[in-house]
Structures are given as C-alpha cells and as structure tokens.
Amino acid sequence: MGQSASLPCRRGTSYVTELYEWFRMFMKECPSGLITLHEFRRHFCNGTVGKESAEYAEQIFRTLDNNGDGVVDFREYVTAISMLIEGTPVEKLRWSFKLYDKDKDGAISRGEMLEIMQAVYKMSVAASFTKPNPLTAEECTSRIFIRLDKDNNAVISLEEFIEGALHDDWIREMLECDPNTVNVERPT
C-alpha cells in the first residue's frame, strides 16, 4: 500500500490516541482483525435500512478490499475512512470511481453505473426518501452518461469522471449516492 493515512482527530486528542481508539473499536467488532463480506453486510445493513441496502454494502465492501483477498483488514478500513473524511475532492472521486468500476477495468460501463444506482434506489425506497420529481435509476444513469462520456465511447474513464464531477454540481450530488436525491419511480 505504502500510503500514509491521516485520521480526523477529535479536539484534544493526538493522532496516535485516535488511531488506537479506531483500532480498539474495530477489534471489538471484528476480533479476528478482518471483516468478511458477511460481517460487513450485517453491520452496514443494521446501520442503514436493513436487507434493502445489502447490494450497496457489497459494492462498498468490494471497494474497501483493496487487495481483493475477500476480507477488509484494519489498514484498508482506516485508510478508506480517513480519505473519505479528510481527503481532497479528487481523492474522494478516485475512491468513488472504484465503487462504480465493478470489474476494475479502468472504465465505468452503463451497466455498472446502473447497478449502483439501482442499489441506492432500493435503499431510498426502503427508507421512504423522496424528493419532488426524482429521476429513476435508468434516467439518472442516462443523464450521467450524457454529461460525462465526453468521447462518446460508451464508458466513463477516470479522467471523465473526475473532470465532470468537479465541474457539475448535479453530477457530484448523484455520484455521492445520496438516497435523499433519488427514488425508484416517477410520481404520477
């Protein structure tokens, strides 16, 4: 990995103290020092909207598991959390790109984007989130591709993803996968 992570620290605590506290909580939840997909899904679903968030939890787990060994260790966990809290916008977008790029080929296909959007929409329905005239998962995916796929090659590259999100508030909001911004069906 070779990356240093900086944890956000509560006022009055040192980096070492904060890291120790995160490690203690991690080990309490995962005594083996590793989180499996099953454990992650259970914790994530219990903390969100139940089984409706399982698909999204699996995508997040896959993104956290940097080395692809099927488990998330403390280093993978704390590096991701630290970056998501304190990272630059570009670092956060790189991480988000990995979330969407399910097959890890360096590009996001329409199918990959749609899968994530549908998982988020399932969560939004389960949590009863609504907003006036929200887009469906399919409409949202189409709109994202129209705005981001600048070379019209039917995939979104990392560069297109970052550039588009940095310069378009709507895209940035959609790519954050905030269930408050979406719904499954258009209201009639």
Side-chain angles (χ1 to χ4, degrees), residues 59 62-63 92-117 140-142 144-165 171 174-177:
Q59 299 293 351
R62 180 185 47 75
T63 306
K92 292 175 183 179
L93 287 167
R94 284 183 194 280
W95 192 88
S96 293
F97 183 86
K98 288 173 39 181
L99 178 70
Y100 288 95
D101 183 18
K102 189 173 180 180
D103 63 8
K104 300 179 182 183
D105 67 352
I108 301 169
S109 70
R110 186 175 296 273
E112 289 171 322
M113 178 70 69
L114 183 58
E115 274 186 56
I116 295 288
M117 290 297 164
C140 185
T141 298
S142 291
I144 289 171
F145 264 78
I146 288 168
R147 292 184 179 193
L148 293 186
D149 185 18
K150 296 298 183 191
D151 60 6
N152 295 314
N153 66 347
V155 294
I156 298 170
S157 68
L158 175 62
E159 293 76 23
E160 289 171 323
F161 186 87
I162 291 172
E163 184 70 22
I171 292 289
M174 290 299 104
L175 295 178
E176 288 173 357
C177 291

Side-chain angles (χ1 to χ4, degrees), residues 54-148:
E55 290 174 46
Y56 190 51
E58 187 170 334
Q59 299 293 351
I60 291 172
F61 180 86
R62 180 185 47 75
T63 306
L64 289 171
D65 183 14
N66 280 331
N67 62 5
D69 64 357
V71 293
V72 173
D73 62 27
F74 179 70
R75 182 182 180 108
E76 290 169 319
Y77 173 78
V78 79
T79 299
I81 298 303
S82 174
M83 186 277 308
L84 289 171
I85 293 170
E86 299 246 331
T88 67
V90 170
E91 289 170 332
K92 292 175 183 179
L93 287 167
R94 284 183 194 280
W95 192 88
S96 293
F97 183 86
K98 288 173 39 181
L99 178 70
Y100 288 95
D101 183 18
K102 189 173 180 180
D103 63 8
K104 300 179 182 183
D105 67 352
I108 301 169
S109 70
R110 186 175 296 273
E112 289 171 322
M113 178 70 69
L114 183 58
E115 274 186 56
I116 295 288
M117 290 297 164
Q118 288 173 330
V120 171
Y121 282 34
K122 271 187 186 178
M123 285 177 21
S124 71
V125 168
S128 301
F129 291 127
T130 58
K131 204 175 185 179
N133 298 316
L135 298 172
T136 66
E138 293 78 9
E139 291 167 329
C140 185
T141 298
S142 291
R143 185 181 267 184
I144 289 171
F145 264 78
I146 288 168
R147 292 184 179 193
L148 293 186

